[in-house]
Amino acid sequence: MREFATIFPTDRITVDEAPVVRDADGPWDDDDVIDAVLRLVADHHRAVGAAIGKRSFSPSLAELRQSPLGQDLRLLAAAGYGDVSRDQVRETAGRVTDLLLRPLAAEGMVIPAWFWSTAIGRIVARAARVTYGDDGLMSIADAADRLGIAPEVVAGWTTDGAIISIPDDAGRPMVPRDAIEKRRMIARELAGLQLEGGEDVLVREQRLAS
């Protein structure tokens, strides 16, 4: 599994030198990870600027740490250890992953599974888990059992982005309990309703979900 530092290789920071690259089971430090991500984003920005003939300046590490991205990364790192607004954490996590992972011309983005194995992915996952509380996430197997369907179906929903997936400390994918309960409610409504006027099942499901 490749580490996050390999997304934007640069001349200034090689994969082996970047602090974000760690053994999957080895120690990793939040400050080192944040600094490495900031450097990688800055280097990528300069590369893009050069490609369109607009060379940009090279900010210092201190300036990068005080940037909006630096503050976002610091908030996510702190969220795993203290009280931070749930909405603020989720908004920040979305903003950071969108910046780091969304292809330039893409309209949407599903976080790839490999991201969660990286050092920065672990920070994002740790912060996101806090926002769901002690019982807000459940395993794919438990979700499938709750819905009475095969685990592969639930796994497919996480792959295509229909339901978000956040790994636990061991890297196992977890899904929000409220999203599963909402689907269970819709399934029960559909099973108990007599569709009138030939209404399409998918239309009814969408209406109930809204």
Side-chain angles (χ1 to χ4, degrees):
M1 184 69 68
R2 65 179 183 175
E3 281 287 359
F4 183 76
T6 63
I7 295 180
F8 301 129
T10 67
D11 293 334
R12 295 185 64 246
I13 302 178
T14 67
V15 172
D16 291 335
E17 292 170 345
V20 75
V21 179
R22 305 279 178 164
D23 182 83
D25 299 317
W28 51 288
D29 180 82
D30 288 355
D31 291 335
D32 286 344
V33 174
I34 290 172
D35 287 350
V37 172
L38 289 171
R39 291 190 187 104
L40 290 166
V41 171
D43 285 346
H44 178 64
H45 181 266
R46 283 195 296 275
V48 172
I52 61 174
K54 297 291 184 179
R55 294 189 177 278
S56 59
F57 70 97
S58 299
S60 67
L61 185 55
E63 290 172 322
L64 289 172
R65 289 170 176 167
Q66 295 302 315
S67 68
L69 176 58
Q71 294 177 35
D72 280 349
L73 293 172
R74 182 62 56 194
L75 183 145
L76 293 178
Y81 303 105
D83 293 331
V84 182
S85 164
R86 182 186 71 174
D87 291 339
Q88 185 179 13
V89 171
R90 292 186 180 181
E91 180 182 348
T92 302
R95 188 163 54 242
V96 168
T97 54
D98 193 72
L99 172 67
L100 299 179
L101 298 172
R102 181 193 289 269
L104 184 61
E107 295 183 357
M109 186 268 296
V110 176
I111 297 177
W114 62 259
F115 175 73
W116 301 119
S117 297
T118 67
I120 183 60
R122 295 180 185 182
I123 290 178
V124 174
R126 186 181 66 204
R129 286 196 301 269
V130 171
T131 70
Y132 286 94
D134 294 334
D135 199 37
L137 295 170
M138 60 196 308
S139 70
I140 286 179
D142 288 343
D145 184 65
R146 182 70 172 160
L147 295 173
I149 58 178
E152 292 77 13
V153 176
V154 180
W157 292 340
T158 66
T159 300
D160 62 23
I163 291 182
I164 65 170
S165 172
I166 301 170
D168 63 10
D169 285 330
R172 295 171 298 219
M174 308 289 285
V175 294
R177 184 177 298 275
D178 58 357
I180 297 302
E181 291 301 328
K182 185 174 183 179
R183 284 182 176 257
R184 184 170 179 268
M185 178 195 71
I186 291 173
R188 293 179 64 182
E189 291 283 351
L190 290 173
L193 289 175
Q194 294 291 329
L195 298 184
E196 300 177 358
E199 183 178 23
D200 185 84
V201 172
L202 293 178
V203 173
R204 173 63 65 86
E205 181 176 2
Q206 184 177 17
R207 183 158 58 81
L208 289 172
S210 62

